[in-house]
């Protein structure tokens, strides 16, 4: 057995400064060291990189990593090189000199990892070069990109199917965070993995606190969530470009360090936002999903979705960008019944553009599953983990998972929900299923609008039936009923509310409705578990020192033009601010401090810690 050979542990301690492997990492690295084919499925933040980065060092041979994004490659290579790992990347952003240097390194056998884009790898000249260099393994990162069933199909990945023919004896290992069975099978087949070790890690991310809220006042709700993470890295996802711009500007007005990011921006501006975020000069990025895969910042403490994504796969990917360092982080999802309608429209429209009748049943199923998650009132961790086909039992324990709005008891059920629902559904019936939610709500509230007067709707029996309930709350109730299929919304631009069989039954007194009290954002609720600084991760951490260490990290990252986390992650900085090592040897014992980093910046960190300790000692008690 290759696992736990002293060689593996010492390499990992030496290069990365990690003293233990995570559960699935041990097996994955073992398969790599034995030179076996493998498919490794670990959630975002699960620690996939180490699984393919460690074996080439142990085997002392070159492995080639296929990766879809240049930004992603560059960050990984920067990180490896800062650890003293011989790695490089071949991509279109290199100038001639850099390109020649990488080719020289390949020829001379100096590298253990080479990152490359798929379209470049299949170039015959590159293939020959790699064959001559004696490549030992191919690593396909983000391997779901090969599958049409995944959430990020990339046609150029398809050509990787030829690797098997061109490199007979070389092993192939695929890595992904996408867990659906179909994508998994597709990857194994397309890459023609042989006798592959299939390793699927635990899909739960216990350090993430999930909250799902009906959208009432999006800007206020977003600001409220971000307010729990002032000065920390956060990402806000919006559905449209215009919305990212509006939201970022509103957040700036409220004193947040926030910028927008979307694919329609000038590439230079986009790069600047990304660099500022990576180097900790910017806290909040408000983005479309274009901001994603290339973002490796591991200390993202909060991810807010301003609207519902189109599938739980997407949600898991995007929310999963929080807390990759394993420390507590928060994921807030705002949704409204209008979101699924909007997605349906978009799907239908793009299907028609592709010459089809409309959205495929598969797409719609994924969308409904996402919607059910939003309107559900079961433990969020349990719902997500089960969706990905795994078991979850913590929700049965007292206090549940302790890390979602449901288990933390933050959702208040409306007591007379069924009665309220009957009134709303009855009003839709009285209005002959001809109006959208705005008018239905006006009638229920007993409004005095032109439309009500013109149509004599103030004479309806359902007029003013719910006059005590505010407009945003009533709107949220309508959305929640749509989510429970007690009402439906037309798929055209008018979004007319219609009756459903379940709604008709409800009016007749059959069945029940469930409504959650939508909460208007309040000032920082103290009792909420919010990955705030009183959580266990902060136990014993001198916070002023931690901030000073972050400052030094930012300074060094700026000097080296690398993302700040490449210098040291938050876990490592917090351990420093807890143990306060004042000599280089003690610093070397901190998790995440490898030999190379100790040599490169050990003195500066120790210097800062000593300074800080001296200053504290001089302070009068
Ligand atoms: P993934 O690619 O699966 O999303 P990463 O490889 O980026 O995850 O790892 C996530 C974080 O976990 C990184 O900050 C990494 O340094 C850290 N990490 C990985 N393995 C270990 C380990 N064995 N011990 C401590 N930290 C680890
Ligand atoms: Zn829970």
């Amino acid at each position: 057995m290759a696992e736990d050979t002293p060689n593996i542990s010492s390499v990992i301690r030496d290069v990365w400064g990690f003293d233990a492997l995570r559960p699935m990492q041990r097996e994955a690295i073992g398969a790599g060291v034995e030179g076996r084919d493998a498919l490794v499925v670990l959630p975002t933040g699960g620690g996939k990189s180490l699984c393919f980065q460690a074996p080439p060092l142990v085997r002392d041979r070159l492995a080639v990593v296929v990766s879809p994004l240049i930004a992603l490659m560059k960050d990984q290579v920067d990180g490896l090189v800062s650890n003293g790992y011989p790695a490089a990347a071949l991509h279109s952003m290199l100038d001639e000199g850099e390109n020649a240097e990488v080719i020289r390194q390949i020829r001379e056998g100096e590298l253990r990892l080479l990152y490359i884009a798929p379209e470049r790898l299949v170039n015959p000249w590159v293939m020959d070069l790699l064959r001559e260099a004696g490549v030992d393994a191919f690593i396909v990162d983000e391997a779901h990109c090969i599958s049409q069933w995944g959430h990020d199909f990339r046609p150029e990945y398809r050509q990787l199917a030829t690797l098997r023919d061109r490199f007979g004896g070389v092993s192939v290992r695929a890595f992904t965070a996408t867990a659906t069975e179909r994508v998994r099978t597709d990857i194994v087949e397309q890459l023609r993995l042989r006798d592959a070790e299939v390793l699927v890690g635990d899909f739960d991310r216990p350090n993430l606190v999930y909250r799902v809220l009906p959208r009432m006042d999006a800007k206020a709700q977003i600001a409220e969530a971000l307010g729990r993470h002032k000065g920390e890295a956060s990402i806000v996802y919006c559905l449209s470009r215009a919305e990212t711009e509006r939201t970022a500007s509103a957040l700036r007005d409220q004193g947040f360090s926030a910028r927008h990011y979307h694919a329609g921006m000038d590439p230079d501006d986009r790069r600047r936002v990304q660099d500022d975020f990576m180097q900790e000069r910017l806290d909040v990025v408000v983005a479309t999903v274009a901001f994603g895969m290339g973002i490796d910042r591991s200390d993202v403490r909060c991810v807010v979705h301003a609207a519902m994504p189109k599938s739980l796969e997407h949600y898991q990917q995007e929310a999963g960008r929080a807390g990759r360092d394993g420390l507590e982080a928060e994921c807030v999802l705002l949704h409204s019944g209008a979101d699924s309608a909007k997605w349906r429209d978009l799907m239908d429209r793009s299907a028609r553009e592709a010459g089809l009748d409309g959205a495929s049943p598969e797409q719609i199923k994924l969308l409904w599953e996402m919607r059910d998650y939003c309107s559900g009132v079961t433990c969020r961790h349990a719902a997500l983990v089960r969706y990905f086909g795994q078991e979850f039992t913590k929700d049965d324990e007292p206090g549940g998972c302790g890390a979602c709005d449901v288990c933390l008891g933050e959702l208040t059920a409306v007591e007379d929900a069924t009665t309220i629902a009957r009134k709303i559904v009855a009003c839709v019936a009285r209005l002959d299923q001809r109006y959208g939610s705005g008018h239905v709500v006006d009638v229920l509230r007993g409004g005095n609008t032109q439309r009500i007067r013109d149509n004599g709707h103030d004479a309806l029996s359902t007029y003013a039936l719910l006059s005590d309930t505010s407009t945003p709350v009533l709107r949220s109730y309508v959305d929640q009923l749509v989510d429970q299929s007690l009402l439906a919304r037309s798929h055209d631009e008018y979004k007319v509310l219609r009756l459903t069989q379940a709604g008709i039954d409800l009016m007749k007194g059959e069945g029940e409705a469930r409504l959650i009290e939508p909460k208007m954002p309040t000032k920082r609720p103290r009792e909420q578990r919010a990955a705030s600084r009183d959580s266990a991760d902060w136990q014993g951490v001198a916070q002023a020192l931690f901030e000073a260490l972050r400052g030094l990290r930012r300074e060094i990252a700026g000097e080296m033009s690398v993302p700040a986390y490449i210098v040291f992650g938050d876990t490592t900085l917090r351990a420093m601010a807890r143990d306060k090592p004042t000599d280089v040897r003690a610093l070397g014992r901190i998790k995440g401090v490898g030999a190379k980093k100790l040599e490169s910046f050990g003195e500066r960190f120790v210097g800062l810690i000593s300074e800080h300790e001296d200053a504290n000692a001089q302070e009068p008690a």
Side-chain angles (χ1 to χ4, degrees):
M1 280 300 273
E3 61 180 1
D4 259 342
T5 62
N7 205 2
I8 297 180
S9 319
S10 70
V11 160
I12 286 167
R13 202 173 312 115
D14 233 46
V15 176
W16 286 273
F18 297 152
D19 43 16
L21 288 176
R22 295 177 180 165
M24 210 41 82
Q25 285 180 330
R26 187 173 304 284
E27 281 93 336
I29 293 174
V33 169
E34 289 172 21
R36 294 190 54 186
D37 280 8
L39 168 63
V40 180
V41 186
L42 276 176
T44 309
K48 286 184 284 298
S49 328
L50 189 68
C51 300
F52 59 77
Q53 292 169 346
L57 283 188
V58 177
R59 283 172 73 89
D60 206 20
R61 301 268 311 269
L62 172 69
V64 170
V65 184
V66 183
S67 174
L69 287 182
I70 296 178
L72 200 73
M73 291 184 208
K74 277 167 62 173
D75 287 347
Q76 292 226 346
V77 170
D78 284 347
L80 288 168
V81 170
S82 79
N83 278 332
Y85 188 121
L90 263 189
H91 55 71
S92 53
M93 302 285 277
L94 299 182
D95 64 32
E96 221 169 292
E98 291 167 328
N99 200 49
E101 169 59 12
V102 175
I103 290 170
R104 187 197 63 75
Q105 289 176 315
I106 299 171
R107 289 219 165 101
E108 315 255 313
E110 287 175 9
L111 298 176
R112 292 298 165 268
L113 265 191
L114 174 72
Y115 284 75
I116 194 163
E119 58 277 12
R120 198 156 269 242
L121 171 61
V122 294
N123 171 319
W125 187 86
V126 173
M127 289 230 186
D128 284 343
L129 174 71
L130 294 176
R131 201 171 295 112
E132 280 160 32
V135 55
D136 179 50
F138 283 105
I139 307 301
V140 182
D141 197 11
E142 311 287 356
H144 56 272
C145 292
I146 205 170
S147 172
Q148 293 195 55
W149 309 116
H151 56 84
D152 192 18
F153 173 56
R154 290 173 182 249
E156 65 275 18
Y157 258 65
R158 278 291 157 95
Q159 306 176 26
L160 297 176
T162 62
L163 282 180
R164 261 278 113 83
D165 297 330
R166 314 258 175 104
F167 295 85
V170 174
S171 57
V172 179
R173 286 183 287 283
F175 290 79
T176 180
T178 303
T180 55
E181 189 61 45
R182 184 166 205 178
V183 176
R184 238 184 263 167
T185 319
D186 214 16
I187 294 172
V188 171
E189 280 172 7
Q190 301 232 20
L191 290 174
R192 290 195 271 141
L193 300 186
R194 274 189 306 235
D195 184 24
E197 180 115 54
V198 177
L199 299 166
V200 182
D202 187 349
F203 258 72
D204 189 36
R205 298 277 309 278
N207 61 316
L208 300 187
V209 178
Y210 295 108
R211 294 199 161 88
V212 182
L213 304 168
R215 188 167 60 241
M216 306 280 288
D217 173 349
K219 290 206 178 74
Q221 287 173 301
I222 294 168
E224 184 194 37
L226 297 180
R228 295 192 281 266
H229 305 276
K230 267 272 161 104
E232 298 177 334
S234 303
I235 303 175
V236 179
Y237 282 112
C238 299
L239 290 191
S240 76
R241 294 173 180 181
E243 215 182 312
T244 65
E245 297 180 7
R246 278 196 300 269
T247 308
S249 142
L251 287 170
R252 277 196 301 276
D253 290 344
Q254 297 188 56
F256 288 96
S257 139
R259 301 276 307 275
H260 67 266
Y261 181 103
H262 56 69
M265 283 159 76
D266 171 69
D268 285 338
D269 286 345
R270 219 164 56 196
R271 197 160 320 116
R272 208 163 309 126
V273 172
Q274 181 159 336
D275 286 350
D276 284 351
F277 186 65
M278 295 306 274
Q279 296 185 7
E280 300 193 352
R281 291 187 297 260
L282 172 67
D283 293 336
V284 183
V285 176
V286 185
T288 59
V289 290
F291 187 72
M293 236 180 0
I295 307 311
D296 252 351
R297 188 165 170 179
S298 64
D299 64 341
V300 173
R301 298 267 76 86
C302 182
V303 171
V304 180
H305 278 79
M308 185 187 90
K310 62 177 166 178
S311 76
L312 277 165
E313 269 89 357
H314 286 87
Y315 184 62
Q316 159 99 358
Q317 280 281 333
E318 289 151 20
R321 294 189 180 115
R324 289 162 76 114
D325 51 13
L327 301 173
E328 200 164 287
E330 180 178 9
C331 304
V332 176
L333 169 54
L334 304 179
H335 70 99
S336 119
D339 295 345
S340 30
K342 194 164 180 180
W343 278 119
R344 260 312 290 272
D345 285 350
L346 282 172
M347 288 171 178
D348 282 340
R349 208 176 313 148
S350 63
R352 276 189 221 107
E353 275 163 19
L356 303 166
D357 286 343
S360 72
E362 317 247 337
Q363 279 180 309
I364 295 170
K365 178 164 173 277
L366 295 176
L367 184 60
W368 286 172
E369 281 163 341
M370 181 73 234
R371 192 188 70 177
D372 290 347
Y373 173 82
C374 291
S375 60
V377 283
T378 52
C379 170
R380 312 290 179 192
H381 281 267
L384 279 170
V385 166
R386 289 185 191 132
Y387 177 78
F388 288 105
Q390 296 186 336
E391 283 182 28
F392 190 84
T393 50
K394 256 195 280 176
D395 56 327
D396 291 335
E397 293 166 16
C401 75
C404 79
D405 51 358
V406 178
C407 295
L408 291 169
E410 294 172 3
L411 301 185
T412 323
V414 176
E415 265 181 33
D416 42 357
T418 303
T419 314
I420 294 175
R422 277 197 194 115
K423 292 179 180 171
I424 297 174
V425 175
C427 188
V428 171
R430 285 275 171 269
L431 289 166
D432 293 330
Q433 312 182 51
R434 288 176 48 212
Y435 295 89
S437 61
H439 186 63
V440 172
V441 166
D442 285 345
V443 172
L444 281 164
R445 285 195 23 85
N448 180 19
T449 66
Q450 182 80 39
R451 203 181 218 179
I452 288 178
R453 288 192 302 271
D454 288 355
N455 292 289
H457 287 163
D458 45 359
L460 293 176
S461 60
T462 53
Y463 181 75
L465 262 189
L466 293 169
S467 53
D468 292 346
T469 314
S470 74
T471 302
V473 168
L474 257 185
R475 274 182 172 267
S476 167
Y477 288 168
V478 170
D479 286 343
Q480 294 184 48
L481 296 181
V482 172
D483 284 346
Q484 291 166 54
S485 298
L486 289 166
L487 284 175
R489 228 187 216 107
S490 69
H491 289 311
D492 53 25
E493 63 196 285
Y494 304 110
K495 307 283 176 262
V496 170
L497 289 176
R498 299 254 160 82
L499 297 174
T500 62
Q501 192 53 53
I504 293 169
D505 293 346
L506 189 81
M507 278 195 292
K508 289 192 209 138
E510 287 164 36
E512 285 188 4
R514 205 184 50 224
L515 293 171
I516 299 293
E517 199 77 73
K519 283 201 193 87
M520 283 308 282
T522 52
K523 285 265 169 291
R524 213 191 147 113
R526 239 8 241 144
E527 73 285 7
Q528 279 194 351
R529 176 177 169 190
S532 61
R533 298 205 166 186
D534 19 71
S535 69
D537 295 335
W538 285 97
Q539 210 93 110
V541 175
Q543 300 204 2
L545 177 55
F546 174 74
E547 288 307 328
L549 293 168
R550 274 181 84 190
L552 177 57
R553 166 172 74 181
R554 197 170 328 153
E555 190 180 309
I556 295 176
E559 289 163 15
M560 297 171 55
S561 305
V562 296
Y565 77 90
I566 282 184
V567 178
F568 285 122
D570 268 21
T571 331
T572 306
L573 291 194
R574 285 190 205 177
M576 288 185 200
R578 194 180 289 122
D579 299 353
K580 309 186 185 87
T582 46
D583 63 75
V584 173
R585 275 191 43 180
L587 184 71
R589 284 194 291 272
I590 298 241
K591 191 165 150 185
V593 184
K596 173 76 197 269
K597 285 186 182 167
L598 196 62
E599 187 193 311
S600 313
F601 5 88
E603 295 287 356
R604 288 172 78 177
F605 278 90
V606 165
L608 179 65
I609 295 167
S610 310
E611 230 172 74
H612 197 269
E613 286 298 275
D614 290 348
N616 272 355
Q618 280 159 14
E619 252 164 47

